[in-house]
Structures are given as structure tokens and as C-alpha cells.
Amino acid sequence: DSGVTQTPKHLITATGQRVTLRCSPRSGDLSVYWYQQSLDQGLQFLIQYYNGEERAKGNILERFSAQQFPDLHSELNLSSLELGDSALYFCASSGQGPGNTGELFFGEGSRLTVL
Amino acid sequence: QKEVEQDPGPLSVPEGAIVSLNCTYSNSAFQYFMWYRQYSRKGPELLMYTYSSGNKEDGRFTAQVDKSSKYISLFIRDSQPSDSATYLCAMSPWGYNKLIFGAGTRLAVHP
């Protein structure tokens, strides 16, 4: 158990809908990362937050947004869902600074299926 | 062309075999190289971490980085059925930030 908790584990929804994925980092970790894992694209970095502020952005679509709350949990919001958004979404956390951070600890992921 | 190329396999070997997993990359700025192991329905977990070139050994696992060839390897000695998983290489110019992952190689070790 990595200590990173993600909910829900599975989610099935329809095209055009909006969903929110939630992540609770390891106790004390200030950095949260979101990754998308799909069969054809592998594991892709989406976005990083450090202590409530956005620190780095990867290949995150404009339909997607994220935030990190004062209690350090994070949410990834996916809207106007398309079939191609079906994937595993992982949250990871680390305990060091916003720059050269330490080891990433991954949660078990949220599996999103868009029908 | 992807920044990091990794053969997805699957790779099937008998128990006790030496396994070689590889990745090639195109970005010469990569300085930090990692191998993650991902069991089915689980998140990736860090297996090995190497900075710049050279070898690193940890038990049955050895990671090698050849920056001149832009090629990294993970060797598993005396492979066990419990090693059956997907192995992902990952790299970055900056440490753990914005890691670029390979597609992952699925390994099956059969008794």
C-alpha cells in the first residue's frame, strides 16, 4: 500500500458527461501528480500541484482541470467526455519540494470508461 | 517518433532465467532514469533509480544507462513468478518531475 488513495476505483459514464476523480496523497506529501494511462499512449503526465499551486503541466486537455485543496487532497475534473478519454487515471504524491522532488508514490488508479 | 521507446512484449521466460528489458530515448537532456514495476490492477512502484550514466545493482536487479547510445536496460537475475508484471522505464531532465514513461513491457515468468 503506497498510502495514496484514489476514488472512485471504477467509473462508467456517457459521452458528453463530466466526472471528478479524487486523490488523497500520502500523509505529509505536498506534491500531487496526475497521470493518464491508456493502451495506445502509455502513462502520460497531466499536471502537478505543490501545496495548492499548479507547478507543472503536461499533455492535459483543456476539457480537463485539476486543483489541490488546503487539506492537500486533489481533484481531477474531466468534462465533455469523449470515448478516447477512457483510461486509467493515476494520482501520485511525493514529499519533497516543488522542483526536484523525491520518489513518486502512485495510487491504484481510477478506471474511467466512457460509453 | 516517441521520446521514449519500449517494446511492449509480452515477454515470457522460465523461472530462473535472466531477463533483459530495454528502452531507447531521443532526448539528450534526460539525466534521471527509473524503472517502475506495475502489477495488474495496481499503480506503478519505483524499482530502480539511476542518475546519469553507469550501473546500479539492487539484489537481483541491475539497471544500466548508456547515455552515449541513449539506451537503458534493466536486468533481472534468477527471475521468479512473482516478477511477472509490466515494467515501465521512465526518464526526466529534472528528477521525478514530469517523467516521460515508456509504454511498458509485460513480463511473464512461468514456473
Side-chain angles (χ1 to χ4, degrees), chain A residues 59-78:
Chain A
N59 300 321
I60 187 166
L61 299 172
E62 285 191 13
R63 300 183 286 108
F64 296 0
S65 64
Q67 57 185 128
Q68 186 179 26
F69 295 86
D71 67 353
L72 301 178
H73 91 270
S74 178
E75 293 182 356
L76 179 67
N77 300 296
L78 315 175

Side-chain angles (χ1 to χ4, degrees), chain A residues 6-8 11 13 16-23 32 34-36 46-47 49 57 59-69 73-82 85 89-91 110 112 114:
Chain A
Q6 289 188 247
T7 56
L11 192 55
T13 188
Q17 296 298 304
R18 173 190 169 93
V19 298
T20 297
L21 309 180
R22 182 188 168 101
C23 169
V32 168
W34 285 97
Y35 281 83
Q36 179 193 56
L46 295 178
I47 197 163
Y49 279 83
K57 225 169 186 177
N59 300 321
I60 187 166
L61 299 172
E62 285 191 13
R63 300 183 286 108
F64 296 0
S65 64
Q67 57 185 128
Q68 186 179 26
F69 295 86
H73 91 270
S74 178
E75 293 182 356
L76 179 67
N77 300 296
L78 315 175
S79 61
S80 303
L81 286 168
E82 302 175 358
D85 297 328
Y89 291 85
F90 285 104
C91 170
S110 293
L112 172 67
V114 182

Side-chain angles (χ1 to χ4, degrees), chain A residues 42-43, chain B residues 4-6 23 88-90 100-104:
Chain A
L43 203 58
Chain B
V4 179
E5 298 279 0
Q6 183 177 10
C23 288
L88 303 122
C89 62
I100 308 298
F101 280 83

Side-chain angles (χ1 to χ4, degrees), chain B residues 26-72:
Chain B
S26 57
N27 188 343
S28 57
F30 288 148
Q31 296 277 8
Y32 297 84
F33 304 92
M34 294 142 207
W35 286 94
Y36 281 80
R37 178 174 61 195
Q38 186 176 16
Y39 290 113
S40 180
R41 296 187 178 84
K42 298 290 185 182
E45 57 178 341
L46 182 66
L47 200 57
M48 298 285 284
Y49 163 83
T50 310
Y51 172 72
S52 193
S53 284
N55 295 358
K56 188 171 185 178
E57 192 172 318
D58 184 2
R60 297 184 295 111
F61 298 90
T62 300
Q64 287 184 353
V65 175
D66 182 349
K67 290 187 69 180
S68 62
S69 303
K70 297 191 178 66
Y71 189 87
I72 71 169

Side-chain angles (χ1 to χ4, degrees), chain B residues 63-106:
Chain B
Q64 287 184 353
V65 175
D66 182 349
K67 290 187 69 180
S68 62
S69 303
K70 297 191 178 66
Y71 189 87
I72 71 169
S73 302
L74 177 71
F75 297 95
I76 307 174
R77 290 184 299 281
D78 187 24
S79 56
Q80 302 295 309
S82 58
D83 295 327
S84 299
T86 297
Y87 290 80
L88 303 122
C89 62
M91 46 200 83
S92 166
W94 306 286
Y96 289 90
N97 281 7
K98 298 179 72 172
L99 288 176
I100 308 298
F101 280 83
T105 300
R106 200 174 346 146

